[in-house]
Every structure is written in C-alpha cells, then in structure tokens.
Amino acid sequence: MTTREQQLQYLEAMGIQAWTARHAEAAAVEGSVEPDPEPAVVVAPETPAPAAPVTSVLDTTDVSGLDWEMLEARVSECRQCDLHTSRTRTVFGVGNRNADWLVIGEAPGHDEDQQGEPFVGRAGQLLNAMLQAVGLQRGQVYIANILKCRPPNNRDPKTEEVLCCEPYLLRQIELIQPGLILAVGRIAAQNLLQTQTPIGKLRGEVHTFRDTGIPLIATYHPAYLLRSPAEKRKAWQDLQLAVRTLRERRQ
Ligand code: URA
C-alpha cells in the first residue's frame, strides 16, 4: 500500500472525506484536507517553552530531579491513593521522550490496566488513526494520562486521585519539554487547564499549559468520537490547529 493509500485509510477512520490537494498548506501531509475554513489560532506563544519547573498544587510526592528510570520506578510502587489497591499495573506512559507532541488522556481503562500501556484498546486505535491522519506515527509522540492507575469501572477520576498523580505527570512534562500538549477529552483538558469549562468550549483554540508557555490544544476523547462519529470533523480541525501551532512555534 502506498503512503497516500494508507493516509486515506486513516482519514476514513476519522470520518474525514479526502480532498484532492488544493489546501495543502493546512495538512501535515500532502493532499488530505477538507475545504473548511480553518479555526483561528487564538494564542500562539512566540518563544519556546522555558524549562521552568511546574509545581503541583498538592506536592505529596517529591519527584523533582528524578530521571525517567527513577520516575517510572516510583510510579510503579506508588500507593498515594486508593487506586493502588484495585490496579493490575500502573500505566506510566509510552513513546518518544523527546517528542514534540505530548498526548494526554484521562486514565487507563481495562486493556491499559492489563497491558501497562496507555491507549491500547479501541479508543487507542482511533487515537493512532487520528495521529496518522496528520502524519504522525504513535512512536513519534509521547502518550500519558492524568492518572497512572485505572479507576474501578472506569469511573471519573476523583480530585484527590488527580492531585496525588499530578507530580508524576508534571515531571514527565518537565523531562519531555514538548512543543505542544494535546489534551484528549474533558477530564484531561479540564484538569490540565484547571477549569470547569465544557470540552466543547475548550476545543478549537490554543491555550497555554499553566506557566510553561507550552501551547495546549484540547480535543474530543477518541472513546467519545467512537460513540459520536459526527464530532470527528471537529477533532480533525483541532488536529490541524495543533499542526499549524507547532509549525508556527518552530519558525
Ligand atoms: N482512555 C484514556 O483516556 N486513556 C487511556 O490510556 C485509555 C483510554
């Protein structure tokens, strides 16, 4: 299969009708865009992210200065909240530790809890297709979650669980220094941006991750997109916005 055929397959998985290349500028890869007006870039930080540490609201876990191996070991033995009693495995994160793109989801589900890797179930397959639609292989990005342990029955994370887990994610962000954070889903977007604003209002624009200067784009969770395929079009626009934002940042 040619690269173009592969790409068409990914776009189809995203529910995007392929369009022949006139708007090539908006696509990360040749000839794959829909003829929509592009959403405006609301905030485009001009300077690269400073290396300033981001500190957690509740610093129950001092992980400052830990390298990747020490951090992963610390997470694997974490007992900061009750989720350690029901987890099968911790789900630390996966991918390129020097990635431009950091994708942050909510929490491990059943498959992730079994395998110890984020986004390996059906939602993960759609996430892979979404990334590939903008020319990214899964291994090129880093993927993590707000929580490292599965909440029982996939219930929403509790505030105290998020706060206990936050230092780990903040240290990962500090180590990666990504060019862009893609927050997938309401839980990720609201916790990262520390807001209660609905995801439908958070998506479609460029935010900044706290005081880091790192641009953050929120989009719908792939599990939601599997239930509501009509929204894939908006997720596609968010991905295109992310591509443009990163490109502008790198210029
Ligand atoms: N949903 C998430 O938010 N994260 C995962 O890792 C899997 C499903």
Side-chain angles (χ1 to χ4, degrees), residues 91 105-109 112 117-120 123 145 184 221:
V91 178
E106 177 178 332
E112 292 76 18
E117 183 171 329
F119 284 102
V120 289
N145 282 311
V184 295
H221 195 285

